[in-house]
Amino acid sequence: MFKKVLVVEDLDSIGYGISIMLKQELGVQEVVLSQYCGDAYLKYIKSVHDQTPYDLLITDLSFNEDHRIEKIANGKQFINKIRGLGYRTPIIVFSVEEKPTAVKKMVQTHDISGYVVKSRNGLRYLREAVESIYEGDKYLSPQVSNINTKKELFEIEDYDVMLLSHLSNGLTQEEIARIFNQSDISPCSLSSIEKRINRLKDELKAKNTIQLVANAKDLGLI
Amino acid sequence: MFKKVLVVEDLDSIGYGISIMLKQELGVQEVVLSQYCGDAYLKYIKSVHDQTPYDLLITDLSFNEDHRIEKIANGKQFINKIRGLGYRTPIIVFSVEEKPTAVKKMVQTHDISGYVVKSRNGLRYLREAVESIYEGDKYLSPQVSNINTKKELFEIEDYDVMLLSHLSNGLTQEEIARIFNQSDISPCSLSSIEKRINRLKDELKAKNTIQLVANAKDLGLI
DNA sequence: GTTACCCTTACGGGAAACCGTAATCAGAAG
DNA sequence: CTTCTGATTACGGTTTCCCGTAAGGGTAAC
């Protein structure tokens, strides 16, 4: 079994549960708990320099803000930093996030070994994930195990997300057109923006722009 | 210390942590864990009938949906049922919800003994809450301890919430006026609805209705 | 009864969104 | 080079939203 595991999770109630499960049920010798991404990053770097690296990272994605000023605000940025430096320590994401698009993006682009959705049996699946990954396999908890088979209902590009978030910030379509023009983002004409908004309204089954933005928020696109 | 505690929490990772804390750190003899509100309700009722009632309830508010069909969908309904039957067992709410209006409503209308926000030190505060309540006090975790002192910045009434949710469902202002007319909800004229939306835009610092609905969603009003 | 006040309703002009059509442009195919 | 195609842009008319002003309708104080 893994000897040294770093758990990055802001909620102590969860971190405590994970930690005990790892030690008592899986026999992990050393479990280090970190409640801040920045702190976790420092701990990770230090362990590498001390020649006592972690065998496994388990991390949440979303972290509450705090009095502390954090350069690394969430699990995604944390993983980016680690992978950006070339370290290939296996990583398990343990998060409530289960939207297929978001999960797929995480798994594909960051070399994630396992993705476990926090749920009624999340801790059990996390245990299975650790065991599988120790055997060299990858692991996805049941809620997201189908992300690769079922094709996307529709493609939302970065452009669309920018558009939606500008709308949700109260910008008028004309203002957005102006911004896209200045930023050399194409298409940038008012007409094209209208058309794109219409397509999004189709895809997200919205009758008007208000509902469009509301639905986009519900889906977590913005 | 309390002898018999019922913990109602859907996420096993959290329930596990709470359970161990209660037993090992506080010496609670019997901790029963339930992952469904309906199940928790049955357990509670049974314990009363068996003359072995619980001394304390600790419950989450939001519960993920599942394959199971649940009549009691969330912690609020669960508490309502218990209090509705006249039982006065002390209750601690343990939730991520920390919006003052929501918390205030819960605490005031349901005779809640303690409210603890899930956070970095949530489990520690939960422990403090249990200890305080055992001594006969009430307890609010630091994030919400000020709900009674600081007055509301603005009052959002049910009317406003209905308005906002109709907007987010893509209804036009005219349609909303028609609905309010048919439902005998006053004010119901297009003009008044416009005025009310304007007031909300002021209060939620929105430049237009799109941003208004987006902000309302962010605040959890709808 | 009169007045003052607040809330609701009514109306009208201007801005933004909505929607269809047509012109323009760029790249691929022939 | 020409043609075809798809994407982008341009424009005009209609609807909805936006915002100010003003009229109506209760209630309370005088």
Side-chain angles (χ1 to χ4, degrees):
Chain A
M1 180 43 61
F2 294 112
K3 298 232 174 350
K4 189 172 175 183
V5 178
L6 179 60
V7 177
V8 193
E9 164 68 55
D10 57 343
L11 301 187
D12 60 352
S13 43
I14 295 180
Y16 190 60
I18 296 176
S19 172
I20 292 176
M21 182 275 286
L22 289 175
K23 284 187 203 163
Q24 296 192 353
E25 298 186 21
L26 292 178
V28 176
Q29 291 171 6
E30 186 177 356
V31 177
V32 176
L33 198 59
S34 177
Q35 294 188 288
Y36 296 89
C37 291
D39 172 65
Y41 178 69
L42 294 179
K43 282 194 165 81
Y44 181 85
I45 297 300
K46 182 169 190 308
S47 80
V48 172
H49 285 177
D50 291 354
Q51 311 278 335
T52 56
Y54 291 97
D55 308 319
L56 176 68
L57 299 183
I58 299 176
T59 181
D60 191 7
L61 289 182
S62 67
F63 287 75
N64 268 329
E65 290 188 18
D66 214 52
H67 54 96
R68 287 173 56 157
I69 309 122
E70 282 288 311
K71 280 168 303 182
I72 309 177
N74 57 50
K76 194 172 168 184
Q77 291 176 16
F78 172 63
I79 293 170
N80 273 337
K81 291 275 270 182
I82 300 286
R83 290 291 187 246
L85 292 174
Y87 300 119
R88 309 245 66 83
T89 312
I91 295 178
I92 299 176
V93 173
F94 188 52
S95 169
V96 291
E97 175 64 68
E98 58 176 325
K99 286 186 270 300
T101 45
V103 175
K104 202 168 176 178
K105 206 164 186 179
M106 279 301 301
V107 173
Q108 285 179 346
T109 60
H110 296 93
D111 186 19
I112 299 298
S113 305
Y115 196 110
V116 179
V117 176
K118 283 176 183 167
S119 64
R120 290 205 165 72
N121 302 310
L123 199 56
R124 203 178 70 201
Y125 295 135
L126 183 60
R127 178 186 166 155
E128 289 179 13
V130 173
E131 289 172 329
S132 290
I133 289 161
Y134 186 68
E135 300 295 327
D137 294 333
K138 301 231 167 194
Y139 185 92
L140 294 175
S141 72
Q143 296 93 338
V144 293
S145 59
N146 57 353
I147 54 167
N148 290 314
T149 61
K150 85 169 167 193
K151 61 176 177 298
E152 295 303 302
L153 294 167
F154 53 85
E155 286 295 328
I156 300 286
E157 306 169 22
D158 289 346
Y159 180 87
D160 297 304
V161 175
M162 279 173 33
L163 197 50
L164 289 168
S165 84
H166 278 140
L167 284 173
S168 78
N169 287 330
L171 297 193
T172 178
Q173 297 181 7
E174 209 176 330
E175 288 170 327
I176 297 174
R178 213 166 15 246
I179 288 176
F180 282 2
N181 232 315
Q182 288 166 4
S183 319
D184 278 326
I185 296 171
S186 169
C188 65
S189 78
L190 178 57
S191 183
S192 297
I193 287 172
E194 286 177 2
K195 183 175 246 174
R196 198 67 164 239
I197 291 174
N198 274 329
R199 210 197 64 190
L200 287 169
K201 281 193 280 198
D202 255 20
E203 286 170 350
L204 300 194
K205 306 193 199 329
K207 281 184 282 207
N208 56 37
T209 312
I210 298 173
Q211 190 179 16
L212 172 63
V213 170
N215 290 351
K217 277 225 175 282
D218 285 340
L219 290 173
L221 295 174
I222 49 178
Chain B
M1 180 41 62
F2 294 113
K3 298 231 173 350
K4 190 172 174 182
V5 177
L6 178 60
V7 177
V8 194
E9 163 67 55
D10 57 343
L11 300 188
D12 60 351
S13 43
I14 294 181
Y16 189 59
I18 295 176
S19 172
I20 291 176
M21 182 274 286
L22 289 174
K23 286 188 203 162
Q24 295 193 354
E25 298 186 21
L26 292 178
V28 176
Q29 290 170 9
E30 187 177 356
V31 177
V32 176
L33 197 59
S34 176
Q35 296 188 287
Y36 297 90
C37 291
D39 173 65
Y41 178 70
L42 295 178
K43 282 195 165 81
Y44 182 84
I45 296 300
K46 184 170 188 307
S47 79
V48 173
H49 285 176
D50 291 352
Q51 311 277 336
T52 56
Y54 291 96
D55 309 318
L56 175 68
L57 299 183
I58 299 175
T59 180
D60 191 6
L61 289 182
S62 67
F63 287 75
N64 267 329
E65 290 188 19
D66 213 51
H67 54 95
R68 285 171 57 155
I69 309 122
E70 282 288 310
K71 280 169 303 183
I72 308 176
N74 57 51
K76 194 172 169 182
Q77 291 176 17
F78 173 63
I79 293 171
N80 273 337
K81 291 276 268 181
I82 301 285
R83 290 291 186 246
L85 292 174
Y87 300 119
R88 309 245 65 85
T89 312
I91 295 178
I92 298 176
V93 173
F94 188 52
S95 169
V96 290
E97 175 64 65
E98 58 177 325
K99 287 186 270 299
T101 44
V103 175
K104 204 168 176 178
K105 207 164 187 177
M106 280 302 300
V107 173
Q108 285 179 346
T109 59
H110 296 92
D111 185 21
I112 299 300
S113 306
Y115 196 110
V116 180
V117 176
K118 282 176 184 167
S119 64
R120 289 203 166 73
N121 300 312
L123 201 55
R124 205 179 69 203
Y125 296 134
L126 183 61
R127 179 187 165 154
E128 289 179 13
V130 174
E131 289 171 331
S132 292
I133 289 160
Y134 187 67
E135 301 295 328
D137 295 331
K138 300 232 168 196
Y139 185 92
L140 294 176
S141 71
Q143 298 92 340
V144 294
S145 58
N146 57 351
I147 55 168
N148 290 314
T149 62
K150 84 168 169 194
K151 62 175 178 295
E152 296 301 304
L153 292 169
F154 53 85
E155 285 295 328
I156 299 286
E157 307 169 20
D158 289 348
Y159 181 87
D160 298 305
V161 174
M162 279 173 31
L163 197 50
L164 289 168
S165 85
H166 278 140
L167 284 174
S168 77
N169 286 331
L171 298 193
T172 174
Q173 297 180 7
E174 209 176 331
E175 288 169 326
I176 296 174
R178 214 166 14 247
I179 289 177
F180 281 2
N181 232 315
Q182 289 166 4
S183 317
D184 279 326
I185 296 171
S186 170
C188 65
S189 77
L190 178 57
S191 185
S192 296
I193 287 172
E194 286 176 2
K195 182 175 249 174
R196 198 67 164 240
I197 290 175
N198 274 330
R199 211 197 64 189
L200 286 169
K201 280 193 281 199
D202 255 19
E203 286 170 348
L204 300 194
K205 307 192 197 329
K207 282 182 283 206
N208 56 36
T209 311
I210 298 174
Q211 190 179 14
L212 171 63
V213 170
N215 290 353
K217 276 223 176 282
D218 286 340
L219 290 174
L221 295 174
I222 49 178

